[in-house]
Amino acid sequence: MRIDGLSLDFFRNYVHLDAAFDPNINVIYGDNAQGKTNLLEAVAYLSGVSHRARYDRELIQFGVDHAFLKGHVFARERDFLLEAELHRGARRVLRSNGVKLKNSGELSGIFQSVLFCPEDLYLIREGAAARRRFLDSAICQLRPRYAMALAEYKKLYEHKIRILRDWTEKPSLLDALDEFSLRMAQTGAVLIHYRAHFIRRLQEVVPPIHSDFSGGRERLDLRYETVKTVTDPEAPMRDILSQLLEHQESHRQAELESRQCLSGPHKDDLAVDLDGVSAKTYASQGQTRTAALSLKLGCREIFFHDTGEWPVLLLDDVLSELDHRRQEFVLNRIAGGQVFITCCEDDRLPVLLGGKVFHVKQGAIG
Ligand code: ATP
Ligand code: MG
């Protein structure tokens, strides 16, 4: 799949942009703060992913009330015109070939991207939340049902947290506690089921990538860490449900006393080991970078196996950070799909890579 053209109006620092892309390699270069990442962000947005902005209004140009994105996308042997209209103070409107879409998951169902950016280096080093975000974002793009369950789980979690926080002042709140716990366990079982299957696929594709990447010198292992009582996260959901309920029951008193939600997959983690020791604790900077990139390239392969097409790969500011051998490795590995690569003005990359080169300056391309 690929994006052939992109138009932006009042998106971030682009007043207006019309760009036609190369089906293979697009290099976007320019000084700092000119709009390179913004351009990648626009492409990612049309694939249903918002990695930088918490709210759509951040994407709308300062001093303006609306932003428009339009992408000409080719996927599943068909052309799609994907559109997003963002408004300050009103709901966004998403369309595919003129037909309104219900949510960003429907964009992901048509067009998929995998983004790798400098912040992803924290994927390995940071706490479990960063790795859950990674899992959630990837699985949401592949499975609409997961996205729905995740949204539901977050809502239930917020409710339950409020009950646990306020129950001593308002004991009547406790009447609803068991109901929320039950629904969280039901929805949690769905999350665990999908996460377990996705991690199983990561376990197949990521270690060989990492091994190639490190010249066969390092072994990477992935492990799903979820609620203790869940003996087999890949088991049918009803088995997971009963194990989650058992865990909740044993933590009920502790939750009431600590006023925290202690039981459930909102604490899940994806453990990454290098040569048998925790990467989070022991990996060097180079190893961290390699492992994070392997995870992302692994996602790209899973997307490919799932849909039969390569998702668009967005590499923001990362290639120039790698040594020559690793750059070469990435470039060989990504052959086949469309890729966008940003780099800085004085980089040698644009010459090395070929493809189409865009020079970004103050929200315009030349
Ligand atoms: P770097 O090389 O430092 O990563 P970049 O070219 O990737 O730079 P971007 O992150 O794309 O830079 O940002 C370009 C500019 O867009 C920034 O100066 C930022 O202030 C501006 N910007 C961000 N959001 C908005 C917005 N909503 N309206 C107007 N300008 C914005
Ligand atoms: Mg940038």
Side-chain angles (χ1 to χ4, degrees):
M1 78 185 49
R2 55 172 207 261
I3 179 162
D4 292 323
L6 177 72
S7 311
L8 301 176
D9 289 288
F10 310 115
F11 180 88
R12 295 270 194 199
N13 70 333
Y14 289 91
V15 178
H16 179 74
L17 170 93
D18 263 314
F21 298 126
D22 187 85
N24 301 116
I25 294 184
N26 296 274
V27 180
I28 295 149
Y29 82 104
D31 279 335
N32 292 130
Q34 302 302 309
K36 301 183 297 295
T37 299
N38 293 347
L39 187 65
L40 261 50
E41 190 177 26
V43 174
Y45 193 89
L46 288 173
S47 74
V49 179
S50 195
H51 73 285
R52 247 200 329 184
R54 281 194 62 189
Y55 303 102
D56 279 349
R57 61 172 182 270
E58 295 165 28
L59 304 171
I60 303 173
Q61 191 155 100
F62 303 142
V64 182
D65 287 332
H66 315 279
F68 305 93
L69 296 85
K70 239 186 239 184
H72 291 274
V73 163
F74 186 76
R76 286 182 270 137
E77 306 293 314
R78 286 172 58 194
D79 288 307
F80 292 89
L81 173 62
L82 302 181
E83 293 171 279
E85 280 176 22
L86 314 182
H87 306 285
R88 256 182 234 287
R91 277 179 66 87
R92 67 176 170 197
V93 181
L94 306 173
R95 288 195 192 84
S96 164
N97 291 336
V99 179
K100 267 195 194 172
L101 303 178
K102 282 200 285 294
N103 50 41
S104 57
E106 292 197 312
L107 283 175
S108 303
I110 299 166
F111 178 48
Q112 294 166 336
S113 69
V114 169
L115 171 97
F116 188 62
C117 61
E119 293 86 58
D120 285 328
L121 300 178
Y122 301 115
L123 194 56
I124 306 294
R125 282 281 174 83
E126 274 197 356
R131 286 176 295 282
R132 281 196 302 274
R133 269 199 304 279
F134 159 73
L135 292 172
D136 289 343
S137 161
I139 309 170
C140 282
Q141 283 194 76
L142 290 175
R143 300 282 178 265
R145 178 157 182 227
Y146 182 83
M148 273 161 26
L150 186 64
E152 171 76 5
Y153 190 86
K154 283 184 178 159
K155 255 191 266 167
L156 293 167
Y157 176 81
E158 294 299 324
H159 274 287
K160 185 167 165 181
I161 281 292
R162 251 175 282 150
I163 296 175
L164 289 170
R165 199 188 51 204
D166 300 337
W167 73 273
T168 43
E169 291 83 45
K170 255 208 222 162
S172 64
L173 284 174
L174 286 183
D175 297 346
L177 183 65
D178 289 341
E179 171 67 16
F180 276 107
S181 293
L182 173 64
R183 285 171 59 197
M184 265 179 87
Q186 288 164 334
T187 319
V190 178
L191 299 187
I192 291 175
H193 173 84
Y194 279 98
R195 284 177 181 171
H197 283 84
F198 186 73
I199 291 170
R200 158 74 55 224
R201 296 170 81 186
L202 284 175
Q203 285 167 335
E204 287 158 11
V205 297
V206 178
I209 296 177
H210 188 88
S211 168
D212 282 0
F213 215 155
S214 63
R217 273 176 288 135
E218 281 169 21
R219 194 186 82 244
L220 179 146
D221 295 298
L222 298 170
R223 213 167 44 249
Y224 181 23
E225 291 181 348
T226 185
V227 179
K228 289 255 165 3
T229 49
V230 176
T231 47
D232 175 14
E234 289 180 69
M237 285 188 223
R238 61 171 183 283
D239 298 347
I240 300 174
L241 174 61
S242 64
Q243 293 169 343
L244 288 181
L245 290 171
E246 184 191 320
H247 192 266
Q248 273 183 351
E249 191 48 41
S250 66
H251 285 69
R252 193 173 193 278
Q253 199 54 35
E255 287 190 337
L256 288 171
E257 280 164 20
S258 67
R259 298 169 164 221
Q260 283 176 23
C261 190
L262 303 172
S263 175
H266 52 277
K267 303 171 74 129
D268 280 1
D269 198 356
L270 170 68
V272 182
D273 285 353
L274 286 177
D275 290 335
V277 295
S278 159
K280 180 171 183 286
T281 317
Y282 296 108
S284 74
Q285 209 156 329
Q287 287 176 316
T288 308
R289 188 175 291 144
T290 312
L293 190 46
S294 301
L295 279 172
K296 286 291 170 119
L297 292 179
C299 273
R300 182 174 171 269
E301 294 198 1
I302 292 171
F303 282 30
F304 177 73
H305 291 140
D306 212 74
T307 65
E309 290 183 273
W310 290 110
V312 170
L313 183 64
L314 306 169
L315 297 174
D316 191 11
D317 243 356
V318 282
L319 219 47
S320 49
E321 299 261 312
L322 301 177
D323 61 38
H324 201 73
R325 194 182 62 78
R326 289 182 203 223
Q327 281 182 4
E328 198 109 301
F329 169 82
V330 176
L331 294 172
N332 288 333
R333 193 96 207 180
I334 62 182
Q338 189 183 32
V339 51
F340 289 75
I341 299 171
T342 69
C343 52
C344 258
E345 193 82 57
D346 49 4
D347 233 305
R348 283 173 50 249
L349 273 177
V351 204
L352 279 176
L353 292 169
K356 203 161 171 178
V357 179
F358 300 87
H359 183 226
V360 176
K361 198 167 180 195
Q362 294 183 345
I365 55 175

